[in-house]
């Protein structure tokens, strides 16, 4: 149980014993000078029980059994409780031999649906957020003991592929033409627009492909494999945990689509409209006030994006036995998911215990506040973006660490450059748009990757300078100085923050925590001499430093960001 839950459970037991059962509403204190945590629930409990809030608060304190966890519990204002954690408790929780995290008591099976590029095109900045945020969430859930099933629902089916394969035929099926997928796609769509014969050939190719024609399938497969290889290179370069095994493409559901539509029919959910088969849900209306239907099959028999998602829900519920499914896509797909989830529920595809959660995110904007584009107005390819990140970071590393060998500089630049891009994205509340800004993300001040990596490297340098081996330290740090204590209070919150991150699908909570931790460490480092302190004080401070390093390293690791020993 994390500390916040522990406090809440004990306060709620006390409220109940006072005859005023209510949620304790515990949170980290907004005014640290009064305590580490505060509980705001007593006032509402008093209102409900028609009691005097301050008197009830006093009685709660009387009955509260916190063992030695709290040093003081004080009543403040109209009936808040301010709780100060005891030194013994902090020390126990910070034992260096103990694992940093507790596993969930009831582990869940969680499908994380992320990245999911459309394979007709090369990966570009539009795929960055889903890939990075989804990956971080998968890691956080796993660290808490949940069973994570990564699903890369790539778009590998549909009419564009007819066009691409027809073009591949034209250029003589030369695979090298696919080195630049983006240019290939542009050329194919230009041919499609300008040449009727080509357009007809493209349509014929779609029919052949959908009809299961062997030759068309072989060409398609080759195209898809090349495109997937290209994605995999980016995944590896970004340091994500996505592997070829995690691909569960749209086409994988092809032979379950007819059955899915039949199931909707059977439940009486289908209506025919202009030859298309649709589900009308009265709660989803367009701007004109008319109901926006969920189309599951077009008049020509083709299935749609929503049909595949419905089939995928059945698969995830039945075969994967998921407890939760998290979808990371941009917020323009919000209506799609609301509709699909509602249809799934009405059709009985969604078991009662299954949580389907769309985790939308905003757009990445350029410095001008408009969607992020190249100077020429084209899409920014991810590989090009990551090249730039490493170049910017290398300049920085050369300036700050001229003494490092060029190999070390290159490695530091890689970690810093990629880490900065990822962290800049993860640190923002995902639901907002954000401006992509090299200077901000590479700054050594503020909520940035360099700031955290620098704090980590400082601790490593401390151990190097002292000729000390952090692994030789064991036992628990005992915070005594107020600045040590402030650091310790943050350190013990890791579990609570990760649980909140896992529940909300918001990695910026973890980033904000790590930034707070690095800031508290910096203050501690400046105010509390370490290597020059008397030996027992020094030992203790080194333990706190080591616990900070562990927490930073694993927190960054959960965000998919490496650390460096020197910076
Ligand atoms: N391929 C889609 C796109 O590029 C995203 C798929 C998201 N996942 C899903 N199950 N619909 O927009």
């Amino acid at each position: 149980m994390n500390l916040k839950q522990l406090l809440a459970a004990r306060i709620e037991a006390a409220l109940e014993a006072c005859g005023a059962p209510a949620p304790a509403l515990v949170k980290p204190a907004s005014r640290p000078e009064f305590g580490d945590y505060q509980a705001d629930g007593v006032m509402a409990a008093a209102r409900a029980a028609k009691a005097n809030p301050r008197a009830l608060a006093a009685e709660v304190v009387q009955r509260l059994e916190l063992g030695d966890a709290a040093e003081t519990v004080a009543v403040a204002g109209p009936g808040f409780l301010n709780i100060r954690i005891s030194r013994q408790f902090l020390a126990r929780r910070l034992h260096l031999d103990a694992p940093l995290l507790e596993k969930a008591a009831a582990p869940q099976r969680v499908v994380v649906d992320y990245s999911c590029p459309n394979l007709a095109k090369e990966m570009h900045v539009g795929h960055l957020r889903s890939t990075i945020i989804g990956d971080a969430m998968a890691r956080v859930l796993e660290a808490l003991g949940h069973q994570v099933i990564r699903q890369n629902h790539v778009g590998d089916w549909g009419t564009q592929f007819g066009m691409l394969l027809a073009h591949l035929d034209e250029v003589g099926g030369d695979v090298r033409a696919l080195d630049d997928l983006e240019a290939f796609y542009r050329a194919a769509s230009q041919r499609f627009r300008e040449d009727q014969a080509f357009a007809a050939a493209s349509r014929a190719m779609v029919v052949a492909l959908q009809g299961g024609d062997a030759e068309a399938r072989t060409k398609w497969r080759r195209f898809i494999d090349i495109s997937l290889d290209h994605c995999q290179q980016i995944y590896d370069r970004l340091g994500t945990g996505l592997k070829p095994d995690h691909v569960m493409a749209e086409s994988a559901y092809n032979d379950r689509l007819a059955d899915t539509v039949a199931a909707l029919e059977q439940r009486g959910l289908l209506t025919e409209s202009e030859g298309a088969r649709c589900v009308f849900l009265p709660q989803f209306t367009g701007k004109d006030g008319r109901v926006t239907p969920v189309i599951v099959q077009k008049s020509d028999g083709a299935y749609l994006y929503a049909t595949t998602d419905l089939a995928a829900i059945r698969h995830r519920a039945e075969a994967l036995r998921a407890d939760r499914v998290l979808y990371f896509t941009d917020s323009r797909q919000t209506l799609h998911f609301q509709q699909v989830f509602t249809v799934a529920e009405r059709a009985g595809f969604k078991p009662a215990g299954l949580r389907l959660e769309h985790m939308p995110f905003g757009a990445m904007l350029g410095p001008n506040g408009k969607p992020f584009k190249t100077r020429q107005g084209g899409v920014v390819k991810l590989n090009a973006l990551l090249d730039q990140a490493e170049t910017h970071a290398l300049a920085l590393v050369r300036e700050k660490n001229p003494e490092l060998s060029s190999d070390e500089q290159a490695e530091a630049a890689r970690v810093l450059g990629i880490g900065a891009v990822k962290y800049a994205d993860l640190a923002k509340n995902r639901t907002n748009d954000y401006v992509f800004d090299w200077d901000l993300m590479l700054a050594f001040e503020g909520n940035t990757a360099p700031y955290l990596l620098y704090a980590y490297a400082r601790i490593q340098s401390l151990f190097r300078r002292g000729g000390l081996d952090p692994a030789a330290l064991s036992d628990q740090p005992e915070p005594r100085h107020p600045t040590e204590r402030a650091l310790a209070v943050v350190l013990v919150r890791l579990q609570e923050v990760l649980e909140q991150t896992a529940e909300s699908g918001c990695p910026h909570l973890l980033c904000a925590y790590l930034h707070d931790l690095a800031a508290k460490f910096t203050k501690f480092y400046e105010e509390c001499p370490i290597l020059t302190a008397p030996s027992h004080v020094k030992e203790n401070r080194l333990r706190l430093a080591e616990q900070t390093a562990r927490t930073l390293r694993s927190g960054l690791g959960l965000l998919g960001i490496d650390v460096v020993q020197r910076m």
Side-chain angles (χ1 to χ4, degrees), residues 208-219:
L209 194 59
Q210 296 191 336
D213 176 86
E215 202 189 316
R217 286 284 171 120
T218 309
K219 284 182 199 152

Side-chain angles (χ1 to χ4, degrees), residues 165 168-169 172-175 178 217-227:
L165 297 186
L168 195 59
D169 266 354
D174 185 353
V175 192
L178 295 178
R217 286 284 171 120
T218 309
K219 284 182 199 152
W220 168 75
R221 192 66 254 168
R222 201 162 45 125
F223 184 92
I224 295 301
D225 286 343
I226 292 171
S227 188

Side-chain angles (χ1 to χ4, degrees), residues 6 14 72 153 227 266 342 363 442 468 506 560 566:
L6 175 90
T72 54
H153 189 90
S227 188
Q266 219 172 47
T342 312
L442 285 164
L468 299 156
C506 289
R566 290 166 203 268

Side-chain angles (χ1 to χ4, degrees), residues 159-385:
T159 48
Q160 299 135 306
F161 289 92
M163 179 184 91
L164 293 166
L165 297 186
H167 187 49
L168 195 59
D169 266 354
E170 252 186 0
V171 298
D174 185 353
V175 192
R176 265 169 311 165
L178 295 178
D179 275 356
D180 189 343
L181 269 178
E182 196 57 39
F184 188 82
Y185 184 88
R186 259 184 281 125
S189 48
Q190 190 173 353
R191 295 282 298 122
F192 189 85
R193 279 193 309 272
E194 291 172 358
D195 184 334
Q196 298 218 343
F198 179 84
S202 302
R203 287 194 202 95
M205 189 63 96
V206 177
V207 174
L209 194 59
Q210 296 191 336
D213 176 86
E215 202 189 316
R217 286 284 171 120
T218 309
K219 284 182 199 152
W220 168 75
R221 192 66 254 168
R222 201 162 45 125
F223 184 92
I224 295 301
D225 286 343
I226 292 171
S227 188
L228 277 176
D229 276 352
H230 154 78
C231 294
Q232 190 58 47
Q233 277 170 28
I234 302 238
Y235 294 150
D236 293 344
R237 184 167 184 197
L238 270 175
T240 67
L242 275 173
K243 296 281 174 289
D245 277 3
H246 302 130
V247 171
M248 181 68 182
E250 288 190 22
S251 65
Y253 299 99
N254 280 354
D255 52 11
R256 308 177 205 191
L257 301 177
D259 184 62
T260 298
V261 173
L264 296 174
E265 173 94 81
Q266 219 172 47
R267 310 261 162 170
L269 289 166
L270 285 191
T271 309
E272 217 163 279
S273 170
E274 294 163 37
R277 309 176 86 188
C278 311
V279 184
F280 281 86
L281 299 164
Q283 61 269 55
F284 300 111
T285 48
K287 286 198 195 86
D288 56 1
R290 302 231 310 248
V291 174
T292 320
V294 185
I295 308 175
V296 293
Q297 191 169 20
K298 293 202 280 192
S299 53
D300 65 1
Y303 299 104
L304 290 99
Y305 185 48
T307 329
T308 305
D309 262 324
L310 288 168
I313 289 175
R314 295 173 92 189
H315 172 70
R316 292 164 182 186
E318 291 160 20
L320 303 181
R321 289 179 294 112
D323 298 301
R324 278 177 94 184
V325 185
L326 314 182
Y327 298 81
F328 291 90
T329 80
D330 75 53
S331 47
R332 287 171 303 181
Q333 298 198 29
T334 300
L335 176 63
H336 163 76
F337 284 109
Q338 283 172 349
Q339 290 182 320
V340 164
F341 296 165
T342 312
V343 174
E345 181 142 24
R346 298 274 290 279
F349 299 162
K350 183 184 102 61
L354 172 62
R355 288 164 62 192
L356 300 172
E357 300 168 68
H358 182 214
M359 301 282 177
F361 50 80
M364 224 168 109
L365 306 176
N368 56 0
K370 303 251 170 63
F372 194 69
K373 292 272 167 63
T374 60
R375 285 219 185 94
Q376 294 74 31
V379 288
V380 179
K381 292 183 189 178
L382 272 187
N383 258 328
L385 185 85

